[in-house]
Amino acid sequence: MNHPLVSIIIPIYKVEQYLRRCLDSIVNQTYTNLEIILVDDGSPDGCPQICDEFAAKDNRIVVIHKENGGLSDARNAGLNICKGVYISFVDSDDWINPQYIDVLIDIATKEKADIAISEYIKTTENNRKKQNIIFKKNFSSKDALLRLFSKNNIAFTVSWGKLYKRELFSSLRFPIGKYHEDEFTTYILFYNSKKIVYTSEILYYYYQRAGSIVSTRHPWDILEYLEQRYIFFKEKKESDLLPLLLPPLCWQLLCAYWHQSKNKNISNNYLNKLRFYIKDFQHIKKPLLHYIPLKIFAYIPQLYLIYRRISPLHIRKEF
C-alpha cells in the first residue's frame, strides 16, 4: 500500500494546559508518514518550550516560532511550508483518535476523494460518547455544499477533522484577522473538489474552552462571509444553491440595521443593500416565509425595530 506524506498543521497560542495531550495524540498516530508542523503563534506561556521539547524527540516535527497573528495567520504559515500530499488541521486544545489519519487516508485513497471528513464529538477528558454504527458516504461537490448549508453541519463546516489534498490550497489561504475563518474557506474547498467522502466514525475530540474563539459570536464577520459566499455562487451561476444562501444574508443585513439603531447610529446603508438583495428573490424560487417579512421590513424598518423589541426569538439573532 502506498503511504503518502501527510502534513498536520497545529496553530498554537496560550494552550499550555492542553498542548501535551494534543501532541501526544498526533505523534502516536498509527499512520507514521507524517510531517507535523507546530506553529507557535507568539504564545506567551510555556507552549514554545513544549514545542521545542517535542521536536527534539521526533524528527517528523517542524516548529515555527512567529509573532502573534491569529489563527488564520498561523494556519497559513504552516500551509506555506508544508510538503505533504495531504493536509490536516488540528487545533491545539483538541486531540485525535490514534487511527485518525489511518482511517481518513484509507477512505480518501480508496474513494479517490479530494476531501475526507470524520465525525467529531464535543468532549472533555472524562466524557466520551459511545460510537454509533459506523457508516461511510460519498458526496459530489454539489451534494456536499447542500449538506454544508443545511442544519447540523458542524463536521462539514470546520477546517479541523478533515483530510485535504494539498492542491486544494494551491491558491487559497485563510482570511487574516477574521473570526469564523472556516466559513470563508470551506465552501470554496468543497466547490473545487470533485468528490468528498464522510465517515460517521468519531475520530476527532473537540474541546471548547471558556473564552475560546468559537465561544463568542462575531456578527460583522458573519455578515461578511454570508455576503461573500452568496456573491461567489451567484457569479458561478449555481442557481439551486441561491435559495439557501439569500435568506440568511438578508436577515443578517436586517440585524445589522437593528444593531445600528440600538446604538443610535442609524444609517440606511444596510437597508439599501438589503433592498438590493431582495430583488434577487425575483429570480430564484422564493422561500415565502422569508421573502414576505423581509420585503415588509426592508421598506417599513420601523416594524422590524418594534418586532425585535417585543419578540425574544428571531430567525437570525446574531447581533
Side-chain angles (χ1 to χ4, degrees), residues 9 11 69-80 87-89 91 157-160 164 169 171-178 180-186 189:
I9 298 173
L71 178 59
S72 290
D73 191 52
R75 284 180 178 166
N76 291 343
L79 286 170
N80 291 340
I87 296 170
S88 187
F89 301 100
D91 284 356
T157 302
V158 292
S159 297
W160 43 258
Y164 308 86
F169 286 95
S171 60
L172 180 67
R173 291 295 185 269
F174 293 97
I176 303 298
K178 300 294 182 185
H180 312 286
E181 71 291 332
D182 313 51
E183 305 274 11
F184 287 87
T185 55
T186 302
L189 292 164

Side-chain angles (χ1 to χ4, degrees), residues 213-224:
I213 289 175
V214 293
S215 64
T216 305
R217 301 296 282 172
H218 300 273
W220 302 109
D221 285 351
I222 292 172
L223 176 57
E224 185 175 349

Side-chain angles (χ1 to χ4, degrees), residues 79-107:
L79 286 170
N80 291 340
I81 69 162
C82 69
K83 301 174 182 176
V85 177
Y86 291 91
I87 296 170
S88 187
F89 301 100
V90 176
D91 284 356
S92 51
D93 46 359
D94 301 336
W95 69 100
I96 53 178
N97 184 287
Q99 293 185 305
Y100 171 77
I101 295 295
D102 241 335
V103 172
L104 289 184
I105 203 159
D106 181 62
I107 61 175

